[in-house]
Amino acid sequence: MTATQTGSSNPHRTPVPEFDAIIIGAGIAGLYQLHRLRKLGFNVRAFEAGSGVGGTWYWNRYPGARFDSESYSYAYSFSQELLDEWNWKEHFAPQPETLEYLNFVADRLDLKRDIEFNARIEAATFSEADNRWEVVTESGERAVAQFLITAVGVLSAPYIPDIPGRDTFTGASWHTAHWPHEPVDFRDKRVGVIGSGATAVQLITEVAKSVGHLTVFQRTANYCIPLNNREITADEQANLHARSGDIFEQCRHSFGAFIHDFDPRSAFDVDDAEREAIYEQLYREPGFGFWLGNFHDIMTDEKANATIAEFVRRKIRERVRDPELAEKLTPRDHHFGTKRVPLESGYYEVYNQPNVTLVDLKETPIECITETGVRTSKQEYEFDVLIFATGFDAVTGALTRMDIRGEGGQLLRDKWRDGPLTYLGLQIAGFPNLFTVVGAHNAANFCNIPRCIEQNVDWVTDCIAHLRDHKLRRIAATESAEREWQQHCEEVVSGTLFPTANSWFMGANIPGKKRMFLAYGGGLPRYREKCDDVAARGYAGFALE
């Protein structure tokens, strides 16, 4: 099918192309959504800000970037052919390999012909007269569709704190999400990194291998645990292909859609020696098992959490030679696992190098950025390169930075001024025919994300097909369903320790942002059950016309 053109009374105005659905983003979610809708015969167009597919893996090219889900659990599961044709090289693939994989999928399914690249969406407006969305790119290009699907990602709105003098630095400088596409040589360079979260941990470990001198400005010490990555052997490769179905089924039933799931025992169901042995074993195993495959109550009980937090603190002290430095790297202001747990490959050992300096911003905060570097309350540091590993306006930022207007011209960022409101994390009352894949209060925000993306996309696709089959032009979440979902999300997470931390999960890293848990804290199986129940009851909580 080809796009139709909307009419115009102005003969000089260029006709606006019209589609059944428009997708914003061509990352993991956007590619799969495009594939699913196209397979059903819908006329679809995706708009992508970058010059290629990949989303997160297109933008984040910093040294050390890799995912922390096991590679074979991260791939798309919908096509056995794709699974059979692709071999992951490492248990946890680096960014170049992941980007190569997503291009392989896009090419294999011929998806790029329906994607417009270098087309960042600036605005989207709903027309109540004909139940259609019109989008406008930054270059002024327009398109119209009955359905608008955002696939903009969880961590895709980079955030740099408003530090005085931020734009005065005359050396090379960028946020990690805007890393240059050409290689960067750090030899003999004085490099400063602001931030110490998951991205910074990966970046710092790699930069330290070749840098002249590295200075890390640590805002918050984190509980970092070993990734324990390695190459996949030929025997393992054959076994993984044979077991792919079982692996995805295992992910389907685990809390976070990983191959790891919580131990049903309490941390106090075993004695101290056995608990220590279990922690030691998990610490040496790859991936998130230490976090998401541990005793179930470490994320709900402060005393249980204290046992694992102290274990990690002890490991830090063992790995960092300088006791004073180890103390600065030891987190004490939040419970283990309540912030995104960074997985590392020699991070703590970096601080044993004579050419690496740690600046604790709790002791000596940054006063300003100068033309030549960074000035703290104690001294000034000069750099050739300054890197901001300062995170993202997570979950909601990519949506609120666009001018999205629903019924009555209501602006989404105004509706969400006091925190996001959604139904199932997939729709927003007052914004008909808009679906937010990986939206706020959606399980996909605390998940092995491709597994949750497939659930989201499959649900949205089935919903749109249902509307077409029943000749319905409009679907809108009701305000009552939205309020009930909000209450349910708050109740689910209130029984955990997550709300106690100032994390991006809580929106606490962005000044002025409403402090609330932005994901769905009940786990993927429970979330899927909720979504399936809504669909089975004729899309209860939605108004269909």
Side-chain angles (χ1 to χ4, degrees), residues 22-31 34 45-61 99 102-103 106 111-112 114-122 135-139 141 149-153 156 177 181 402:
I22 288 172
I23 300 167
I24 303 177
I28 299 171
L31 291 176
L34 174 59
R45 190 70 170 171
F47 289 83
E48 166 55 46
S51 61
V53 302
T56 292
W57 303 108
Y58 170 88
W59 295 105
N60 290 269
R61 297 165 183 253
L99 184 59
L102 292 171
N103 273 282
L111 298 177
K112 292 178 182 177
D114 288 320
I115 303 171
E116 181 143 353
F117 296 106
N118 302 305
R120 184 180 295 277
I121 297 297
E122 184 176 74
V135 300
V136 183
T137 68
E138 285 183 340
S139 64
E141 183 182 357
I149 304 164
T150 62
V152 294
S156 54
H181 284 205
M402 289 185 281

Side-chain angles (χ1 to χ4, degrees), residues 335-349:
H335 298 295
F336 171 81
T338 53
K339 288 190 174 187
R340 164 71 161 67
V341 176
L343 297 184
E344 51 83 23
S345 301
Y347 174 68
Y348 290 112
E349 286 71 19

